[in-house]
Amino acid sequence: MNTLNSSGIDRIDLMQTLVRIVESGSLSAAAAQLNTSQPTVSRRLQSLERMLGVKLILRTTHAMKLTDDGERCYQQAKLLLERWAALEDELRGAGDEPVGTLRVRVPHAFGQDQMIEPLTRYLQRYPDVTIDWMLNDRTPDFISEDIDCAIQVGKVDDPSMVALLLAEVPRIVVATPELLSTYPVTQVSELGNLPWVSFSTFYRNEVTLRHDSGGQTERCMIAPRLATDSLYAVRKAALSGLGAAIVSAWIVTEDIAQGRLQQILPGWNALPLPVYLVYPYSTYYPARLRKFFDMMRSVMPALAEMQPPTQGSADSR
């Protein structure tokens, strides 16, 4: 037996390295996630291959591919690491006490406005936890980017992820009073006469509105003057009088109260957007993640202008 790898901790390190290489997609990315150098990662991989007596990864200048033995080793290593983490937490008495770093991806507007207060309370309650709070509106690659979980506004298309429906974001149609004095609107079909700012993540050339009481829906084609994937930019453009816009209700509450914006056709609103907590499947989740899940479930429906999930909506996938 190779004495270098005779201790359990060395074997765990080698398995961790293999999992990071596979899930990050390269030795250099694995080195960054493990806070070490690429030569060190390469040596660990070679040590694991010598210890097992098989080739795990085939590498060329431009590609990397698991061998059949490598695929089996990766699957077993991932399972063993999850069990090892659970055992460590149990023996250290840390099973229910959050420790370590949590990496969370959150949409820009939501993450720097609505979520900071509950996030602060979470960190004050658990002083041994640190959080990497990454603001980005695109869907993360959880494995290669080493993301623990994400808050996602809008539908979740990846069936390999757990997606818990937390709340829904009401959306309303707004414009400046000055714009509406130039383009009066009395019915949904007249919305197309307005200049528009589109939030391209969710609508661009067509808007669909639903009546609050009757439930009927109507569609209207629009020709946006500006299309952007930033909710903040949509609000600013609407405030400038550039065009009408559909926005999350929470972001314009004060603007409407102070008369800077006006809701168009009250009672007709865009369909609310679902807010999901998304994370990879695993056989074990550390306490810092479990407690974060609990916090999200409890605070999300209570945030400004949020509403509980519609009855009958799927809670997970």
Side-chain angles (χ1 to χ4, degrees), residues 9-317:
I9 187 64
D10 290 328
R11 293 172 187 264
I12 293 296
D13 281 345
L14 297 180
M15 287 189 291
Q16 178 68 48
T17 299
L18 175 65
V19 170
R20 286 293 88 207
I21 291 171
V22 174
E23 296 187 345
S24 67
S26 70
L27 271 65
S28 57
Q33 292 183 10
L34 293 169
N35 196 28
T36 187
S37 66
Q38 182 174 335
T40 298
V41 168
S42 181
R43 286 194 296 271
R44 289 178 184 175
L45 174 61
Q46 292 169 7
S47 295
L48 183 60
E49 288 177 329
R50 285 197 301 270
M51 183 177 68
L52 296 174
V54 295
K55 191 69 175 177
L56 301 175
I57 294 177
L58 299 176
R59 285 183 288 165
T60 66
T61 305
H62 304 291
M64 183 185 75
K65 181 181 179 181
L66 280 173
T67 64
D68 290 344
D69 289 326
E71 177 64 33
R72 287 192 291 271
C73 184
Y74 161 69
Q75 296 294 343
Q76 291 298 320
K78 187 173 182 179
L79 182 60
L80 286 169
L81 287 170
E82 291 173 355
R83 291 176 176 173
W84 179 261
L87 177 61
E88 281 189 319
D89 281 353
E90 181 180 346
L91 294 179
R92 292 173 180 173
D96 291 318
E97 187 59 31
V99 296
T101 299
L102 190 62
R103 291 174 54 82
V104 185
R105 176 72 67 79
V106 194
H108 267 103
F110 202 62
Q112 68 190 71
D113 192 304
Q114 296 288 289
M115 288 304 306
I116 294 301
E117 184 177 340
L119 182 67
T120 299
R121 293 199 302 269
Y122 174 88
L123 289 170
Q124 289 172 338
R125 182 174 181 180
Y126 303 115
D128 293 326
V129 174
T130 59
I131 292 183
D132 284 348
W133 192 245
M134 292 162 282
L135 302 180
N136 196 307
D137 291 310
R138 68 176 178 82
T139 302
D141 186 331
F142 287 86
I143 302 305
S144 65
E145 298 178 55
D146 197 22
I147 305 296
D148 292 304
C149 65
I151 305 299
Q152 181 169 328
V153 178
K155 65 179 181 178
V156 179
D157 296 319
D158 189 346
S160 68
M161 294 291 115
V162 180
L164 299 179
L165 182 59
L166 300 174
E168 292 180 339
V169 182
R171 295 189 296 160
I172 60 176
V173 191
V174 297
T176 60
E178 294 78 11
L179 185 68
L180 291 176
S181 67
T182 305
Y183 300 92
V185 174
T186 60
Q187 54 189 356
V188 174
S189 61
E190 296 173 344
L191 289 173
N193 299 329
L194 290 165
W196 273 83
V197 177
S198 75
F199 188 15
S200 56
T201 306
F202 300 110
Y203 71 94
R204 191 176 186 100
N205 300 114
E206 182 183 73
V207 296
T208 301
L209 301 185
R210 181 177 64 189
H211 197 272
D212 291 343
S213 58
Q216 68 266 32
T217 61
E218 291 192 27
R219 295 182 179 181
C220 182
M221 301 302 296
I222 61 171
R225 299 292 310 284
L226 172 69
T228 175
D229 62 356
S230 166
L231 181 58
Y232 279 139
V234 171
R235 172 182 171 269
K236 284 286 190 180
L239 283 168
S240 75
L242 183 61
I246 293 175
V247 294
S248 300
W250 66 266
I251 204 169
V252 292
T253 300
E254 187 175 336
D255 298 319
I256 292 175
Q258 296 186 7
R260 294 189 294 265
L261 289 174
Q262 182 177 326
Q263 185 173 358
I264 304 174
L265 299 176
W268 285 95
N269 296 307
L271 298 177
L273 292 175
V275 181
Y276 287 96
L277 176 65
V278 186
Y279 53 93
Y281 285 98
S282 178
T283 59
Y284 175 74
Y285 300 106
R288 61 181 177 274
L289 201 53
R290 299 197 306 270
K291 299 296 184 182
F292 186 80
F293 293 165
D294 292 342
M295 186 265 286
M296 286 290 99
R297 290 191 187 98
S298 66
V299 307
M300 191 64 70
L303 293 179
E305 301 294 335
M306 293 290 170
Q307 61 189 38
T310 304
Q311 187 174 5
S313 298
D315 288 332
S316 63
R317 57 175 58 211

